[in-house]
Amino acid sequence: MYTAADLRKGLKITIDNEPYIITHFDFAKPGKGQALYRTKMKNMITGSTLDRTYRSGETFEPASLEDRVMQYLYKEDDHYCFMDNTTFEQIHISEDAMGDAKNYLIDNLQVDVLLFREKAIGVDVPNFVNLRVVQTDPWVKGDTSGSDSKPATVETGYVLRVPPFIEEGELITIDTRTGEYSTRVKG
């Protein structure tokens, strides 16, 4: 159990049987009376925020979160199927819980799945993924209209801006933290 003195930014606790992460924390000690701990928390399932003030001595249950390495298998309707690499158990995660990670999923990609009480609530993809460009406008030599990038669609359907020299069929590296083009894959 955590006490109010343990509260800090990034701490994951359970409130009303749901996991929350503390996004902002402020400590105040008035002249008389107990110390106050003001927090802003984000629900890790719904994404809603919560402002709460606690007094010293209050206790909190740690969020029982577990990270598991899993392999992406396929998409079925609005759910994504993953397989646990150790037990070979398959789980389905809704498109809403996927967030931006769905833009970078290719078959057999190893990802970290965040579980709360054996229920998947989020997916972390690697910081960089290699995806093939399936559609982009050709670059015309001498086109100096001032634009230093053009839109490109990758094999997952994600659209991003790339340099003008990138052509269809090329493999590019994308930074999944920002969703931006990083580099062209050599080879």
Side-chain angles (χ1 to χ4, degrees):
M1 294 290 271
Y2 293 122
T3 64
D6 296 323
L7 296 177
R8 64 188 179 283
K9 187 176 179 178
L11 186 70
K12 297 172 179 118
I13 59 174
T14 302
I15 297 176
D16 301 328
N17 289 322
E18 293 199 352
Y20 283 83
I21 184 166
I22 297 175
T23 57
H24 182 77
F25 170 79
D26 188 34
F27 171 76
K29 175 74 171 108
K32 53 184 176 174
Q34 291 182 320
L36 299 174
Y37 299 87
R38 291 185 189 92
T39 61
K40 284 188 182 182
M41 297 175 276
K42 181 179 174 187
N43 186 312
M44 296 177 72
I45 297 173
T46 65
S48 62
T49 58
L50 184 68
D51 288 335
R52 289 252 174 109
T53 302
Y54 298 102
R55 298 189 181 281
S56 60
E58 293 189 48
T59 59
F60 309 93
E61 180 185 338
S64 57
L65 298 170
E66 180 185 358
D67 263 330
R68 280 197 211 156
V69 176
M70 295 194 175
Q71 181 178 355
Y72 171 66
L73 297 177
Y74 58 89
K75 181 181 180 194
E76 181 179 336
D77 299 324
D78 63 341
H79 286 79
Y80 293 81
C81 183
F82 294 87
M83 180 183 68
D84 189 318
N85 290 342
T86 53
T87 64
F88 304 109
E89 166 189 348
Q90 291 185 9
I91 63 164
H92 295 271
I93 302 176
S94 71
E95 195 164 347
D96 295 336
M98 292 293 298
D100 289 339
K102 66 179 177 257
N103 297 327
Y104 315 110
L105 289 179
I106 54 173
D107 291 346
N108 304 321
L109 182 68
Q110 302 291 320
V111 297
D112 288 327
V113 176
L114 184 63
L115 301 163
F116 176 69
R117 296 184 178 156
E118 298 300 318
K119 181 182 184 296
I121 61 170
V123 174
D124 286 330
V125 294
N127 289 341
F128 296 95
V129 293
N130 296 334
L131 296 173
R132 191 162 306 281
V133 176
V134 294
Q135 194 281 319
T136 188
D137 297 329
W139 181 37
V140 179
K141 188 169 182 159
D143 181 9
T144 56
S145 62
S147 67
D148 57 350
S149 64
K150 62 182 181 178
T153 306
V154 293
E155 58 192 300
T156 61
Y158 180 60
V159 178
L160 72 155
R161 308 284 304 171
V162 297
F165 55 82
I166 298 296
E167 298 174 1
E168 284 184 21
E170 285 193 83
L171 206 56
I172 61 171
T173 300
I174 299 174
D175 186 336
T176 60
R177 297 166 293 191
T178 61
E180 296 175 355
Y181 167 85
S182 177
T183 185
R184 180 168 37 177
V185 177
K186 307 276 191 276

